[in-house]
């Protein structure tokens, strides 16, 4: 196992009816900015629960944070927060609202252009404390330091500064009942691929991390169909929600080697073709696994055996079968695995490849061997 430090201070408040605890989670005396997206929280009752819980607090609101949050919108929120001397930010929404709110939190303290935190990897200079009420299990943003922000055709992320951890995140599985099937499918695939990107790499003798990763994958495979097909099923929503958080809160990724090439390529597909984040991963991952199957052979065989119970056939056959079952799983959730589903064609591929290379000038993947040519091969095979 590799050396690591694991520090995660997020207070997770999980379960039915927990939103009312907001009144004690945020100290009285804070001046709060509540941030949210396009209005789903007003239709599903989450907004009313938040406002009721904060009835004795001092707060203002900023709505309209888009899916794949836009820099300009976040900077408007930042200006408002500075003008109103906000001391606490409360994000109520999915990954986009939480990521966007983390960006507002750091932009408020940045003396240079805050975009440079993403484009030039400038260190942050401070962060206003934030908390979250999660409404869409998918990204893990509620328990990690990540923030992905878009500006035109640029979609960039920053990860790793502990000041960007939420102070708390409320996870009430009942708030997911209003999610459309498409977002549920996106969230399951996103969580699944977060695990694969930290697990299907090189063996560093980390059996605990491996088994935790496999447990999340197997739980998603078991619960996913119930999440999609059984209406308002609390148990499956709760299990899915906790899987999504555990998939990207740093725990299974400690001491092991990561990949993240699928995410880096996927971000460009969102930027150029507007495909939802989770759906881009289903397009890239199976193809990437086929292209990289020799380097990933040991872990792919372990995945085939332990997650999909495949023990017959040659190693190559077992690996191919595991990839096919992964694709079938994504497709069963209503998430396509081929670029043609979004009308993305061969002539679109070079732009995606060039944009990945311009944002990340080094090769991708755990072996640093995914160069422009390989990205092109991965995408061509996903057509
Ligand atoms: O905007 P509203 O009206 O709230 O609607 C949202 C949005 O349209 C809707 N929604 C959310 N909760 C709902 C709901 N609709 C009904 N009922 C509810 N309970 O769902 C739509 C999508 O929301 P969004 O927040 O965009 O989705 P997601 O959580 O998948 O977040 C995607 C963003 O997170 C980034 C992605 O790149 C993308 O920008 N990621 C962040 C990561 C991180 N912080 O660690 C890692 C991920 O890999 C990812 O890159
Ligand atoms: Zn993701």
């Amino acid at each position: 196992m590799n050396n690591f430090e694991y520090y995660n201070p997020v207070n997770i408040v999980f379960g039915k009816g927990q939103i009312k605890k907001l009144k004690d989670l945020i100290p009285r005396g804070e001046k709060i900015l509540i941030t949210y997206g396009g209005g789903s929280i007003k239709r599903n009752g989450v907004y009313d629960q938040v406002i009721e819980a904060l009835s004795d607090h001092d707060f203002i609101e900023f709505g309209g944070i888009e899916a794949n949050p836009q820099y300009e919108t976040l900077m408007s929120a930042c200006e408002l927060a500075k003008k109103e001397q906000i001391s606490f930010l409360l994000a109520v929404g999915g990954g986009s609202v939480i990521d966007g709110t983390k960006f507002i939190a750091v932009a408020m303290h940045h003396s240079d252009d805050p975009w440079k935190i993403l484009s030039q990897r400038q260190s942050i200079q401070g962060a206003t404390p934030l908390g979250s009420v999660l409404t869409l299990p998918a990204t893990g943003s509620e328990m990690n330091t990540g923030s992905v922000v878009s500006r035109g055709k640029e979609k960039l992320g920053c990860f790793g500064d502990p000041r960007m951890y939420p102070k708390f995140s409320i996870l009430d599985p009942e708030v997911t009942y209003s999610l459309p099937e498409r977002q549920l499918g996106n969230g399951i695939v996103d969580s699944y691929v977060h695990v694969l990107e930290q697990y299907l790499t090189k063996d560093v003798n980390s059996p605990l991390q491996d088994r935790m990763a496999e447990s999340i994958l197997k739980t998603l495979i078991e619960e996913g169909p119930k999440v999609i097909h059984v209406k308002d099923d609390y148990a499956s929503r709760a299990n899915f929600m906790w899987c999504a958080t555990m998939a990207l809160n740093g725990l299974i990724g400690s001491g092991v080697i990561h990949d993240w090439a699928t995410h880096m390529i996927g971000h460009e597909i969102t930027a150029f073709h507007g495909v939802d984040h989770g759906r881009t991963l289903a397009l890239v991952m199976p193809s990437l696994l086929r292209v990289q199957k020799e380097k990933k052979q040991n872990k792919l065989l372990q995945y085939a055996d332990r997650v999909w119970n495949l023990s017959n056939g040659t190693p190559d056959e077992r690996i191919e079968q595991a990839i096919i079952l992964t694709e079938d799983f994504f497709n069963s959730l209503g998430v396509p695995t081929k670029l043609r589903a979004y009308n993305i064609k061969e002539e679109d591929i070079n732009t995606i490849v060039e944009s990945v290379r311009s944002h990340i000038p080094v090769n991708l993947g755990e072996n640093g061997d995914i160069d422009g040519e390989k990205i092109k091969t991965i995408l061509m095979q996903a057509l």
Side-chain angles (χ1 to χ4, degrees), residues 131-185:
S132 86
V133 176
L134 178 70
T135 63
L136 198 177
T139 63
S141 188
E142 65 280 5
M143 201 177 174
N144 69 34
T145 57
S147 172
V148 182
V149 177
S150 296
R151 188 179 197 181
K153 297 263 181 273
E154 309 251 46
K155 185 172 189 215
L156 302 176
C158 65
F159 285 85
D161 193 298
R163 287 171 286 184
M164 289 170 78
Y165 276 122
K167 299 288 167 212
F168 63 81
S169 285
I170 298 182
L171 277 57
D172 177 348
E174 290 192 317
V175 310
T176 71
Y177 292 162
S178 58
L179 278 165
E181 207 173 293
R182 184 177 115 210
Q183 297 301 344
L184 292 167

Side-chain angles (χ1 to χ4, degrees), residues 88-250:
F88 197 95
L89 297 162
L90 178 65
V92 185
S96 294
V97 172
I98 303 175
D99 281 14
T101 305
K102 289 176 183 169
F103 188 74
I104 299 165
V106 298
M108 286 172 70
H109 301 267
H110 211 65
S111 55
D112 200 351
D113 173 5
W115 182 248
K116 292 185 185 168
I117 299 169
L118 303 156
S119 63
Q120 297 179 11
R121 301 196 174 271
Q122 279 186 359
S123 300
I124 70 169
Q125 295 164 356
T128 300
L130 69 122
S132 86
V133 176
L134 178 70
T135 63
L136 198 177
T139 63
S141 188
E142 65 280 5
M143 201 177 174
N144 69 34
T145 57
S147 172
V148 182
V149 177
S150 296
R151 188 179 197 181
K153 297 263 181 273
E154 309 251 46
K155 185 172 189 215
L156 302 176
C158 65
F159 285 85
D161 193 298
R163 287 171 286 184
M164 289 170 78
Y165 276 122
K167 299 288 167 212
F168 63 81
S169 285
I170 298 182
L171 277 57
D172 177 348
E174 290 192 317
V175 310
T176 71
Y177 292 162
S178 58
L179 278 165
E181 207 173 293
R182 184 177 115 210
Q183 297 301 344
L184 292 167
N186 291 352
I188 296 166
V189 171
D190 195 17
S191 312
Y192 197 90
V193 175
H194 290 158
V195 178
L196 292 186
E197 296 237 62
Q198 300 166 89
Y199 164 72
L200 284 180
T201 60
K202 289 196 273 198
D203 191 7
V204 289
N205 199 350
S206 53
L208 176 61
Q209 289 92 322
D210 284 5
R211 290 198 174 93
M212 289 194 292
E214 289 151 3
S215 306
I216 299 172
L217 297 172
K218 292 179 87 152
T219 308
L220 288 169
I221 292 166
E222 269 169 30
E223 301 292 325
K226 290 182 248 168
V227 166
I228 299 282
H229 299 298
V230 186
K231 200 174 169 314
D232 299 356
D233 178 36
Y234 182 81
S236 63
R237 296 302 172 99
N239 290 323
F240 163 42
M241 203 169 207
W242 190 223
C243 279
T245 302
M246 289 298 289
L248 199 55
N249 66 2

